[in-house]
Amino acid sequence: MTIQRTISPVDGSVYVERTLASPVQIEAALESARLAQRAWRAVPISERAAILGRFCDAFESHGEAIAEELSWQMGRPIRYSPSEVRGTLERARHMIAIAPAALADIDVGPKSGFTRFLRREPLGVVFTVAAWNYPYLIAVNSVVPALMAGNAVVLKHSAQTPLCAERFEECLREAGLPEGAFQALHLSHADTERVIRDPRVDFVAFTGSVAGGHAVQRAAADRFIGTGLELGGCDPAYVRHDANLAHAIENLVDGAYFNSGQSCCGIQRVYVHERLYDQFVDGWVDLTRKYVLGSPVDPGTTLGPVVRTAAADEIRRQIAASVAAGARAVIDEKAFAASQSGTPYLAPQVLLGVDHSMPVMREEIFGPVAGIMKVGSDEEAIRLMNDSAFGLTAAIWTSDEEAALSIGDEVQTGTWFMNRCDYLDPALAWVGVKDSGRGCTLSAIGYEHLTRPKSFHLRVKI
């Protein structure tokens, strides 16, 4: 029997202990998922929508407790944790609402003597492996649409956020979802790979690191199943010469430091036109110094700890390596009394004098750190934004929509923003390019990855 312990970044205490699933429990879960899916796929979409609508209601009713647990598990300030509850409901309800149209039969047009159409069939059992940094928002991207499409779901959540998986299970049970159609398992890495290899699993939805994505691909390589991979990011923003400066500063500082910078689509690389550079930097530094670093359960805290001490140590190493290569760290860490080595409490930082030889502009730094670089033209900004192994989101601040569209066409990214960042609209496809992953969640297109097309070609006149 192996015990999984969740260490809270709030105070270093053991917040949750869970026993990892045994081989017998894993076998039972997969078999019951396979059997439950056969019945669930026959349930009309309207009835699936009613059940998942009740799930949303149950989730909302537990929102206060869910938000508090979230802060203790991964360290987000309690003043912001309720936003994840709201965002989860927004995504779930949107995907429920669009399901009838997204999953409807596709009429390919008339042909004399024939009936022809395409139907979207569920894949079977979807195995979701979710990350801790946005534990509900990440999981809901696949869990709700997979169930709406007629799949069964097995959820393996991060060891940092095990209660999030259990909350999904609890609320779906309250909603009346048939037994076995959704199950949460606490698994080791080795057992996670075994589940991916199991012939009863038909699709894997993974969110995590690039290295984790490669491990999922290797585990699935001997089988003809789909994998959806949302991986890392080192996302850029361009502040053009015609930007609203105050708006750009406010949005981009938040985009870099919200959730203590622990967001795949958080802003890390900022390119500012030379006309605005000095004013932009002054504004960024001034706003950064106003953050309050402290305990996430203190309502006055605006910046919480990163998830664990080892993560803080790695972020400090990446900052130090960038400084050793010539960057200048602007923020005095001592100005943030709570920031201490040997703890997950880490001051926000901005680096100037950066270039693309430095970790801050090349690696994913999963923390409250950004680099700001001066550029002289749109062309230079495009070249630098594309000079990355990643491509999840990118953003521009400008008053010229036509220029934003033109530049966006040239930037290698999954989502292109104008005058905003670090946001996911459930009506749009959530995708990545390059090392940021493959596949798609959300929007009507997201349903295409959780179903397979089946063609019906009926000769009705002989």
Side-chain angles (χ1 to χ4, degrees), residues 66-89:
I66 287 171
E68 183 177 355
E69 291 170 356
L70 183 61
S71 292
W72 279 96
Q73 286 175 96
M74 52 75 64
R76 185 174 310 140
I78 192 64
R79 66 191 294 161
Y80 302 131
S81 290
S83 68
E84 179 146 356
V85 176
R86 293 191 295 271
T88 300
L89 291 168

Side-chain angles (χ1 to χ4, degrees), residues 9 66 128 150 214 218 232 281 314 336 396 417-418 432 446 459:
I66 287 171
T128 292
H214 282 298
R218 286 193 295 271
V281 168
E314 173 61 15
F336 293 82
I396 186 171
F417 293 108
M418 173 181 168
R459 174 174 279 177

Side-chain angles (χ1 to χ4, degrees), residues 139-445:
V140 77
N141 288 357
S142 59
V143 169
V144 167
L147 290 170
M148 278 302 304
N151 299 292
V153 176
V154 175
L155 171 62
K156 185 273 179 196
H157 223 304
S158 167
Q160 193 67 37
T161 47
L163 297 184
C164 299
E166 294 175 11
R167 284 292 189 178
F168 270 103
E169 195 167 46
E170 174 189 1
C171 294
L172 285 164
R173 187 182 304 115
E174 286 184 31
L177 186 74
E179 186 176 352
F182 176 90
Q183 296 167 86
L185 289 175
H186 302 303
L187 299 171
S188 67
H189 288 307
D191 283 334
T192 298
E193 291 192 14
R194 291 188 189 99
V195 171
I196 293 171
R197 292 190 174 96
D198 193 283
R200 289 164 292 194
V201 168
D202 301 287
F203 184 85
V204 180
F206 172 82
T207 302
S209 67
V210 175
H214 282 298
V216 169
Q217 284 289 87
R218 286 193 295 271
D222 291 336
R223 305 184 54 224
F224 296 120
I225 61 170
T227 57
L229 308 174
E230 188 201 323
L231 309 177
C234 184
D235 286 5
Y238 172 34
V239 182
R240 202 167 178 259
H241 66 85
D242 59 346
N244 180 314
L245 187 61
H247 182 260
I249 292 168
E250 179 184 3
N251 276 205
L252 283 168
V253 170
D254 181 69
Y257 298 148
F258 187 81
N259 207 39
S260 298
Q262 298 168 126
S263 174
C264 297
C265 63
I267 294 298
Q268 188 175 314
R269 299 180 286 139
V270 185
Y271 305 100
V272 183
H273 194 276
E274 57 192 5
R275 294 187 203 172
L276 300 180
Y277 180 81
D278 290 339
Q279 291 176 274
F280 181 87
V281 168
D282 289 345
W284 181 294
V285 172
D286 180 63
L287 186 53
T288 300
R289 287 174 175 156
K290 294 177 181 176
Y291 275 84
V292 178
L293 175 66
S295 170
V297 295
D298 182 342
T301 293
T302 58
L303 188 72
V306 296
V307 69
R308 58 181 69 91
T309 299
D313 292 342
E314 173 61 15
I315 294 163
R316 287 190 172 97
R317 183 200 67 75
Q318 291 171 299
I319 293 171
S322 297
V323 170
R328 179 166 62 92
V330 178
I331 304 300
D332 182 0
E333 191 169 349
K334 295 177 182 177
F336 293 82
S339 183
Q340 298 179 14
S341 61
T343 77
Y345 288 86
L346 177 72
Q349 189 56 270
V350 59
L351 303 179
L352 305 179
V354 297
D355 61 43
H356 279 217
S357 69
M358 302 172 182
V360 70
M361 305 302 275
R362 299 211 67 81
E363 301 174 6
E364 180 177 41
I365 299 183
F366 221 53
V369 182
I372 304 177
M373 189 171 178
K374 184 189 299 183
V375 296
S377 66
D378 294 346
E379 291 73 24
E380 184 180 10
I382 292 167
R383 177 178 61 79
L384 290 168
M385 282 192 282
N386 286 338
D387 182 25
S388 175
F390 300 100
L392 187 56
T393 76
I396 186 171
W397 267 258
T398 178
S399 58
D400 187 337
E401 183 178 2
E402 185 176 337
L405 288 168
S406 176
I407 294 168
D409 274 340
E410 297 187 55
V411 175
Q412 299 158 0
T413 186
T415 297
W416 175 245
F417 293 108
M418 173 181 168
N419 296 333
R420 77 177 311 174
C421 61
D422 192 26
Y423 176 74
L424 194 161
D425 186 334
L428 298 174
W430 190 241
V431 298
V433 299
K434 297 188 277 190
D435 277 359
S436 287
R438 54 169 290 184
C440 168
T441 58
L442 300 178
S443 78
I445 295 173

